[in-house]
Amino acid sequence: MIEEKTHKTKTVAETLAQAFYDNNVTHIYGVPGGGSSLPLIEAAAQLGINFVLTRTETGAVIMASATAELTGSIGVALTTKGPGVASAANGSACALLDRTPVILITDGFTEQQSDFITHQFIDQRALLAPVTKGHSRLEENQVMNEINRLINLAMTPPCGPVHIELTGVTAKKELLEPQTQKTLDGCELNVDNLNDFSNANELISNASRPVIVIGLEARSVENTEKIRQLIDRSDYPVLTTYKAKGVISDHHPQYAGIFTGGMAESACISKADLIIMIGVDPVEFVLQKWRYQVPVIDISVVEYPVHYIKPDVGLYGPINNSISTLLSAISVWSSDWKSSDVKVLRNDMHHALQCHAKDGIGPQDIVEVALESAMSKHTVNQEKRLPLITVDAGAHMFSVMAFWPCNQPFDVLISNGLATMAYALPAAIAAAIKETDRTVVAFTGDGGLLMCLGELSTAVEQDIPIVIIVFNDQSLSLIDIKQQASGLPSRGMRWETPNFSKVMEGLGGKSYQVSDKEQYRQALDEALEIGSPVLIDVLFNPEGYGQQLKALRG
């Protein structure tokens, strides 16, 4: 009798879940439907991958995006078909412009269903095409290869989301393919242009006042280590974009402040005779023309076809390799900068961005009192370790980013590519799930929170250590400022004061509403000890926002 060989089969859902496991995914976020979502959730659970039920699809994708930033791997979100896909589009746009590798799985219609169904039917691939890097239905024979192709595409710079449109029929289809292998790092590109390095060396050697600007591509462990070596060898002032805060500590003597492409950094940049950009993505700049007429060296993973500048030298490929080559070639990184010069630049920017209020509590007070409270509470191995913070879009972000110090990359999470509102709370939930030994503080405006209010319920359900600080001034402050600056009357930008404290209590969470510093400080001291979600609704005076915005952007 001839013994027949048997092959262990896996479904497409199981194969996809295995690929996630192989890429260190521990959580999937989403609002599921009844099609492909259910078998995928179960297949993932069998591998120890937890499913987090969110209250919004956009929130789910933002959580996956924040997870991808913190882990350096992929984040995963899933939704149902039709309205679920439409609702996820903003989250996908956020992942695309913030350069995060997200796998967005949506349910879909089979060809047979498409012949007679119109209910909830839209062209989902076409809808998400502008905000994703790729698409697949996983219906071809080589499913494993297709999954790996998509993951590699998501992780290839500039990183971004990919869309898997998975029907229930396809999810349950059995395969005879081998298990998936861990994907290759899509960021490994080659750089081998000796002329460019020679030109860069010449520019650096001849410059007397170079300035370094660091951007989001620089945030990996390897890149940060090399960049810090370069900084320590030179005496150049260093500016960082919002997303790159922490690549150089805010307490480092060469740290000169933030860079947005606006006015605040001009005092520093205008004194430079060379700008060395490291990992700067043009998506991080504000919408203003480049104003400086000095040479630029662009050290980046990829060359961006649309940019505010045309660099004099471009070094494209792995950033740590490019920095290593420069460090080996240039023995002396001298300049005319003095440490006192950098200190003056840093202090001047700090002073220009002050945002206090004559009465009540001001935006800067909200940040600085939170910092003082956190400094008094969080000590790890005799060292102060501040909470990780997340920051929403809006006028409040100027004070948060200016006055909350960072020591390491990803000490702050902020949407700066899409700069979407309703970011801080979902990002904080994902951060607290991943960083289990660290408190997370979400700084959000009232407008941003109103757009994702349901995610307060997600935070309460997950029972994670988040302090949600709400800048509550009953308006879309940033747009209100611009409206008034244009000479127009304030119209359509304000609303009646919402009581976020009562909303949080109604959802089962702890909350406070405060209107002065002493109340706020007491609420913070208690909130930072609780270890579960707490909301502090701060009724504050936005006085000073207009002047701060002018100092920052011109």
Side-chain angles (χ1 to χ4, degrees):
M1 180 177 178
I2 300 176
E3 183 179 349
E4 293 185 2
K5 292 183 178 180
T6 60
H7 296 272
K8 183 178 180 181
T9 62
K10 278 191 174 185
T11 65
V12 171
E14 290 169 337
T15 303
L16 188 56
Q18 183 67 50
F20 296 156
Y21 179 85
D22 291 343
N23 283 274
N24 302 316
V25 173
T26 59
H27 293 79
I28 296 174
Y29 302 91
V31 183
S36 62
S37 301
L38 302 182
L40 181 56
I41 290 170
E42 181 57 28
Q46 294 301 316
L47 296 172
I49 300 174
N50 297 315
F51 176 70
V52 177
L53 175 63
T54 65
R55 304 311 186 255
T56 64
E57 290 85 357
T58 280
V61 185
I62 289 174
M63 291 179 205
S65 179
T67 299
E69 287 198 86
L70 291 172
T71 63
S73 186
I74 55 173
V76 182
L78 65 81
T79 78
T80 187
K81 63 174 75 73
V85 177
S87 181
N90 185 68
S92 187
C94 180
L96 182 75
L97 294 184
D98 281 333
R99 313 309 195 198
T100 54
V102 169
I103 313 299
L104 173 57
I105 305 108
T106 71
D107 200 8
F109 295 90
T110 65
E111 287 188 16
Q112 292 80 5
Q113 290 173 325
S114 301
D115 289 339
F116 67 93
I117 289 177
T118 55
H119 178 69
Q120 291 192 327
F121 181 85
I122 53 177
D123 188 339
Q124 299 180 157
R125 178 178 185 177
L127 175 67
L128 292 180
V131 292
T132 53
K133 293 182 66 179
H135 170 274
S136 179
R137 293 175 61 92
L138 300 187
E139 292 177 342
E140 302 302 322
N141 292 327
Q142 298 298 316
V143 171
M144 180 189 72
N145 291 340
E146 182 67 352
I147 293 170
N148 284 337
R149 180 189 72 82
L150 289 170
I151 293 175
N152 280 322
L153 180 61
M155 296 187 69
T156 299
C159 300
V162 294
H163 175 205
I164 296 177
E165 193 172 7
L166 189 65
T167 68
V169 172
T170 300
K172 298 171 186 175
K173 180 182 176 182
E174 292 191 341
L175 305 171
L176 289 174
E177 298 182 35
Q179 293 185 1
T180 58
Q181 300 296 315
K182 187 171 182 179
T183 58
L184 299 174
D185 185 356
C187 297
E188 289 299 317
L189 306 176
N190 291 320
V191 57
D192 191 27
N193 194 323
L194 297 179
N195 287 334
D196 287 336
F197 279 104
S198 176
N199 293 336
N201 293 346
E202 184 177 356
L203 284 173
I204 293 169
S205 299
N206 292 335
S208 59
R209 297 177 77 87
V211 169
I212 296 173
V213 180
I214 301 174
L216 68 85
E217 289 180 352
R219 297 174 296 169
S220 72
V221 173
E222 298 81 7
N223 289 343
T224 296
E225 181 182 354
K226 284 297 178 184
I227 291 167
R228 288 183 173 187
Q229 289 178 22
L230 188 155
I231 291 169
D232 290 342
R233 191 174 300 183
S234 75
D235 53 8
Y236 307 161
V238 182
L239 299 162
T240 72
T241 64
Y242 283 160
K243 292 187 80 71
K245 268 180 73 79
V247 173
I248 175 177
S249 169
D250 285 28
H251 302 293
H252 195 287
Q254 288 168 245
Y255 176 69
I258 55 176
F259 178 94
T260 67
M263 181 60 68
E265 66 270 16
S266 63
C268 178
I269 300 288
S270 63
K271 293 179 172 62
D273 58 1
L274 175 66
I275 301 169
I276 305 172
M277 289 189 168
I278 306 178
V280 177
D281 187 321
V283 80
E284 303 182 82
F285 293 14
V286 296
L287 308 178
Q288 296 183 10
K289 288 185 176 181
W290 185 253
R291 66 185 75 200
Y292 308 107
Q293 304 298 318
V294 296
V296 175
I297 299 173
D298 184 24
I299 305 173
S300 181
V301 179
V302 296
E303 182 176 7
Y304 293 94
V306 179
H307 208 303
Y308 291 75
I309 60 170
K310 182 175 177 56
D312 296 79
V313 177
L315 304 179
Y316 302 114
I319 289 172
N320 59 326
N321 290 355
S322 296
I323 299 296
S324 293
T325 302
L326 289 174
L327 287 171
S328 299
I330 302 176
S331 57
V332 179
W333 294 74
S334 61
S335 76
D336 292 343
W337 290 108
K338 297 182 175 65
S339 59
S340 57
D341 297 333
V342 183
K343 183 177 181 179
V344 168
L345 291 170
R346 181 172 60 249
N347 290 343
D348 285 352
M349 183 182 292
H350 189 274
H351 179 75
L353 296 179
Q354 298 283 312
C355 194
H356 291 293
K358 294 178 182 177
D359 300 309
I361 183 169
Q364 185 174 339
D365 299 322
I366 295 176
V367 181
E368 291 182 334
V369 172
L371 180 62
E372 292 168 8
S373 185
M375 286 291 290
S376 69
K377 297 290 181 183
H378 291 272
T379 303
V380 179
N381 298 327
Q382 305 304 314
E383 293 185 6
K384 298 292 184 183
R385 190 184 187 202
L386 293 177
L388 184 154
I389 66 168
T390 65
V391 186
D392 222 308
H396 68 279
M397 73 178 180
F398 304 141
S399 291
V400 178
M401 298 305 290
F403 302 113
W404 186 280
C406 295
N407 293 314
Q408 297 294 333
F410 307 108
D411 277 353
V412 57
L413 297 178
I414 182 172
S415 173
N416 198 41
L418 185 64
T420 182
M421 295 173 71
Y423 173 86
L425 176 56
I429 292 171
I433 287 173
K434 294 303 297 182
E435 303 280 333
T436 56
D437 62 343
R438 191 175 187 185
T439 299
V440 176
V441 174
F443 289 103
T444 182
D446 45 0
L449 183 57
L450 284 168
M451 294 180 185
C452 63
L453 202 58
E455 301 303 348
L456 289 175
S457 177
T458 308
V460 170
E461 182 178 80
Q462 293 297 313
D463 194 27
I464 41 185
I466 298 176
V467 179
I468 303 146
I469 299 175
V470 189
F471 290 68
N472 189 350
D473 65 345
Q474 312 91 54
S475 70
L476 291 174
S477 297
L478 184 56
I479 311 306
D480 194 22
I481 293 167
K482 293 179 180 180
Q483 190 178 56
Q484 294 177 57
S486 300
L488 298 171
S490 181
R491 196 186 309 279
M493 302 301 156
R494 303 178 185 180
W495 47 74
E496 293 297 320
T497 307
N499 191 322
F500 294 106
S501 177
K502 288 186 177 180
V503 173
M504 186 63 167
E505 289 178 5
L507 293 171
K510 178 72 174 176
S511 64
Y512 305 84
Q513 187 175 75
V514 300
S515 57
D516 63 49
K517 287 186 186 180
E518 191 52 42
Q519 292 175 343
Y520 178 48
R521 183 175 284 106
Q522 182 176 346
L524 277 165
D525 288 344
E526 294 176 9
L528 289 167
E529 294 284 0
I530 290 174
S532 58
V534 180
L535 182 145
I536 304 177
D537 186 7
V538 187
L539 305 178
F540 78 106
N541 184 350
E543 179 184 0
Y545 266 160
Q547 189 62 36
Q548 186 183 49
L549 178 61
K550 184 177 180 180
L552 187 69
R553 295 186 176 177

